């Protein structure tokens, strides 16, 4: 039985991206790809568990992990996305799903013979994970959920995607140790525009630790104290994957570090990552150097 600090579960997608100037590019994406890259770059032992149709196995080459740490479950279909961005900062986009990978099943982890300190659900759309799989993993270790996979739905007729509240949130949040949302998702779930108040509400419903990303900062709340750390990227060419990079770094750092330490490291790595398109390919030493240059005020605090 192979053990990991984090077992990251999700579909690796083909993303057909069209920028605000109508330039098109096809790349591999998906939360599992960006998440595994950032956590591994900080030196954490992570596994990526994904589902793919056999014809799409070439996507696996985009992972930064050793091939022995990539676990593939065969699927009838793979996930393919189309993203049209309307602004240079990529904050506004219209996404559609051209095909959906098969859902993960409750016995998938058993078949792989791996264990984790954290089971990180890095999905793309509602239906990627059954509730019972989350409940099962909560008995095995800590559970981390990026709430995108609970809120983003696909219209099966035309592939258009839309957000709606998670009907099972009050049943499922007590099983979640780390919950990640962005500001818009937090508002969908709580009705609150104030990010701290939204985090407090999500905690009151059962989530133990909440991370809320925003284009200006990242907020962490552990039920007692709230901490924020500003994003200080010098450009936004690598905006895609911001939340995934942040969340995976934060939760793996939290295994040994305090909330403010983990938050600083996660915000620094995503700020550095956002300056270059694609997944993070640097090292912990690069992140430490970036902190010294751009987060000296936090290091002195």
């Amino acid at each position: 039985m192979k053990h990991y600090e984090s077992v990251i579960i999700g579909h690796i997608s083909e993303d057909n991206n069209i920028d605000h100037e109508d330039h098109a590019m096809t790349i591999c994406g998906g939360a599992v790809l960006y998440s595994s890259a950032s956590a591994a770059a900080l030196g954490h032992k992570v596994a990526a568990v994904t589902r793919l149709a056999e014809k799409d196995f070439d996507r696996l080459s985009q992972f930064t992990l050793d091939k022995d740490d990539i676990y593939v479950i065969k699927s009838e279909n793979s996930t393919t996305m189309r993203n049209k961005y309307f602004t240079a900062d990529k904050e506004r986009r219209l996404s559609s799903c051209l095909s959906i990978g098969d859902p993960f099943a409750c016995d998938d982890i058993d078949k792989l013979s791996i264990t984790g300190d954290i089971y990180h659900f890095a999905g793309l759309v509602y239906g990627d994970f059954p509730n019972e799989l989350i409940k099962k993993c909560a008995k095995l270790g800590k559970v981390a959920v990026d709430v995108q996979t609970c809120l983003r739905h696909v219209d099966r007729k035309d592939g258009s995607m839309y957000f709606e509240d998670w009907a099972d949130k009050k049943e499922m949040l007590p099983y979640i140790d780390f919950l990640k949302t962005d500001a818009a998702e937090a508002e969908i779930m709580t009705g609150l525009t104030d990010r701290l108040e939204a985090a407090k509400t999500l905690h009151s419903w059962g989530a133990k630790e909440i991370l809320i990303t925003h284009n200006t900062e990242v907020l962490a709340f552990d039920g007692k104290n709230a901490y924020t750390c500003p994003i200080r990227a010098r450009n936004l060419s690598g905006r895609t994957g911001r939340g995934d990079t942040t969340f995976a770094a934060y939760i793996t750092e939290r295994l040994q570090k305090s909330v403010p330490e983990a938050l600083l490291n996660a915000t620094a790595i995503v700020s550095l990552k956002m300056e270059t398109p694609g997944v993070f390919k640097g090292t912990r030493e690069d992140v430490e150097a970036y902190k010294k240059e751009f987060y000296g005020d936090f290091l002195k605090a």
Side-chain angles (χ1 to χ4, degrees), residues 182-183 186 192-200 212-214 216-217 219:
D182 64 19
L192 300 169
T193 56
D194 184 292
R195 296 190 293 279
L196 176 55
E197 292 305 313
K200 289 179 178 179
I212 300 181
T213 59
H214 185 261
T216 63
E217 66 179 17
L219 179 148

Side-chain angles (χ1 to χ4, degrees), residues 79-83 93-98 100 124-126 148 151-156 158-164:
T79 297
T80 303
M81 298 284 192
R82 180 184 185 275
N83 299 299
R93 69 180 177 182
L94 177 65
S95 297
S96 57
C97 191
L98 307 181
I100 304 175
L124 292 173
V125 298
Y126 181 79
Q148 172 182 262
L151 305 186
R152 191 161 73 169
H153 293 248
V154 178
D155 187 315
R156 300 289 173 150
D158 62 9
S160 61
M161 293 195 287
Y162 59 95
F163 285 80
E164 66 177 42

Side-chain angles (χ1 to χ4, degrees), residues 32-49:
V32 68
L33 182 64
Y34 287 96
S35 296
S36 59
S38 66
L42 290 175
H44 297 288
K45 184 67 173 175
V46 299
V49 179

Side-chain angles (χ1 to χ4, degrees), residues 20-288:
H20 67 295
E21 296 179 335
D22 287 331
H23 298 134
M25 178 181 292
T26 298
I27 62 172
C28 282
V32 68
L33 182 64
Y34 287 96
S35 296
S36 59
S38 66
L42 290 175
H44 297 288
K45 184 67 173 175
V46 299
V49 179
T50 193
R51 295 199 74 136
L52 274 175
E54 195 165 0
K55 66 181 179 61
D56 297 318
F57 275 15
D58 59 322
R59 298 183 191 180
L60 301 174
S61 65
Q62 299 304 304
F63 281 106
T64 59
L65 304 179
D66 291 338
K67 63 180 181 179
D68 290 343
D69 298 322
I70 303 168
Y71 298 85
V72 187
I73 303 163
K74 288 186 179 180
S75 173
E76 187 70 23
N77 300 293
S78 302
T79 297
T80 303
M81 298 284 192
R82 180 184 185 275
N83 299 299
K84 168 57 182 171
Y85 295 97
F86 298 104
T87 57
D89 63 9
K90 297 185 177 180
E91 288 296 322
R92 291 182 55 243
R93 69 180 177 182
L94 177 65
S95 297
S96 57
C97 191
L98 307 181
S99 67
I100 304 175
D102 298 352
F104 291 86
C106 280
D107 62 351
D108 284 339
I109 300 299
D110 293 337
K111 291 178 180 178
L112 299 175
S113 297
I114 59 177
T115 59
D117 296 316
I118 301 170
Y119 292 85
H120 176 178
F121 290 87
L124 292 173
V125 298
Y126 181 79
D128 279 352
F129 310 111
N131 287 347
E132 294 308 311
L133 178 57
I134 295 174
K135 291 179 179 179
K136 176 177 180 173
C137 288
K139 297 178 181 178
L140 303 175
K142 294 180 181 294
V143 164
V145 175
D146 184 331
V147 83
Q148 172 182 262
T149 193
C150 308
L151 305 186
R152 191 161 73 169
H153 293 248
V154 178
D155 187 315
R156 300 289 173 150
K157 294 180 181 179
D158 62 9
S160 61
M161 293 195 287
Y162 59 95
F163 285 80
E164 66 177 42
D165 198 5
W166 188 12
D168 301 326
K169 62 188 178 186
K170 291 189 179 179
E171 174 192 350
M172 297 304 299
L173 287 176
Y175 292 94
I176 298 173
D177 296 276
F178 301 106
L179 180 74
K180 180 262 173 188
T181 81
D182 64 19
E185 292 162 347
E187 183 178 355
I188 290 170
M189 292 185 74
T190 67
L192 300 169
T193 56
D194 184 292
R195 296 190 293 279
L196 176 55
E197 292 305 313
K200 289 179 178 179
T201 297
L202 293 167
H203 183 271
S204 74
W205 290 340
K208 298 174 184 63
E209 205 161 302
I210 294 91
L211 197 75
I212 300 181
T213 59
H214 185 261
N215 60 5
T216 63
E217 66 179 17
V218 183
L219 179 148
F221 180 67
D222 63 1
K224 294 181 180 179
N225 299 302
Y227 305 87
T228 60
C229 192
I231 290 176
R232 291 177 172 169
R234 290 165 288 185
N235 70 76
L236 301 176
S237 61
R239 159 66 180 85
T240 301
R242 179 182 71 189
D244 308 320
T245 299
T246 307
F247 191 41
Y250 177 79
I251 62 177
T252 49
E253 289 289 279
R254 279 289 288 125
L255 290 172
Q256 296 180 334
K257 298 185 184 301
S258 67
V259 172
E261 288 179 298
L263 179 62
L264 174 58
N265 289 344
T267 309
I269 194 174
V270 76
S271 294
L272 178 54
K273 172 261 175 297
M274 286 170 66
E275 297 179 359
T276 306
V279 302
F280 184 73
K281 294 183 178 179
T283 64
R284 181 178 282 275
E285 288 71 26
D286 295 327
V287 176
E288 291 297 326

